[in-house]
Amino acid sequence: IKSRNLNHEDIGRKVREEFKFLKDAPLIFISGLKGIKINDLINLCNQIYKKSKIIHDENELNNFIMSKVAQNLPKNKPGQTLHIYGIKQHQIYPNVFEFTVNNPNYVHFSYKRYIENVIREKFDYEGVIIKLFFRRFCATLLMMKLFNSFQVKIYTILEVDPQVPQM
């Protein structure tokens, strides 16, 4: 910015115009030479870090997202209907959300942005990077997982207890 006659509001507006992808990032003015507002920057970083580590209840998250999806259904091409089956928040990286859908290719980038904005507004994720992953729902894999867990349960029931005398 070449002009010296700008105040913080004007500079902030110009930065937001130039870097539209940073619309959710907080903007803070500091001076490295004078050390002005360095503590504010550190406090802001700590707040953003704490927000990024919050894990939400899965049922609350699913209910909220499904209600927002029902309010604004995804636009579909003929024969390419998007179905969202559920959402999970990653346990290790809480700012990552995994959606189970019928086909990830059917999710339009504008609908991803809509869902991200909805999550950001509801859970106060200002300054937090949110990542959305769309995974294909596969009934075959689900059945295999259920079958394998069922087999494990059967084996644990049929195991012989060493404390019980054998006949």
Side-chain angles (χ1 to χ4, degrees), residues 35-50:
I36 297 172
K37 293 196 176 182
I38 299 295
N39 288 335
D40 292 347
L41 177 64
I42 292 170
N43 291 337
L44 182 63
C45 291
N46 286 332
Q47 289 173 3
I48 291 171
Y49 178 77
K50 287 176 187 175

Side-chain angles (χ1 to χ4, degrees), residues 6-68:
L6 297 174
N7 59 17
H8 285 178
E9 290 177 12
D10 294 336
I11 294 171
R13 190 171 33 261
K14 288 199 178 274
V15 168
R16 296 284 184 208
E17 287 173 6
E18 190 70 28
F19 303 102
K20 293 187 180 176
F21 61 92
L22 294 176
K23 66 180 174 77
D24 298 313
L27 190 60
I28 187 168
F29 296 95
I30 64 170
S31 170
L33 293 175
K34 297 179 182 177
I36 297 172
K37 293 196 176 182
I38 299 295
N39 288 335
D40 292 347
L41 177 64
I42 292 170
N43 291 337
L44 182 63
C45 291
N46 286 332
Q47 289 173 3
I48 291 171
Y49 178 77
K50 287 176 187 175
K51 287 179 188 178
S52 72
K53 296 301 176 189
I54 295 173
I55 296 179
H56 304 286
D57 180 49
E58 191 170 334
N59 288 333
E60 178 190 351
L61 188 62
N62 264 309
N63 292 337
F64 173 72
I65 293 297
M66 291 305 180
S67 69
K68 289 300 184 179

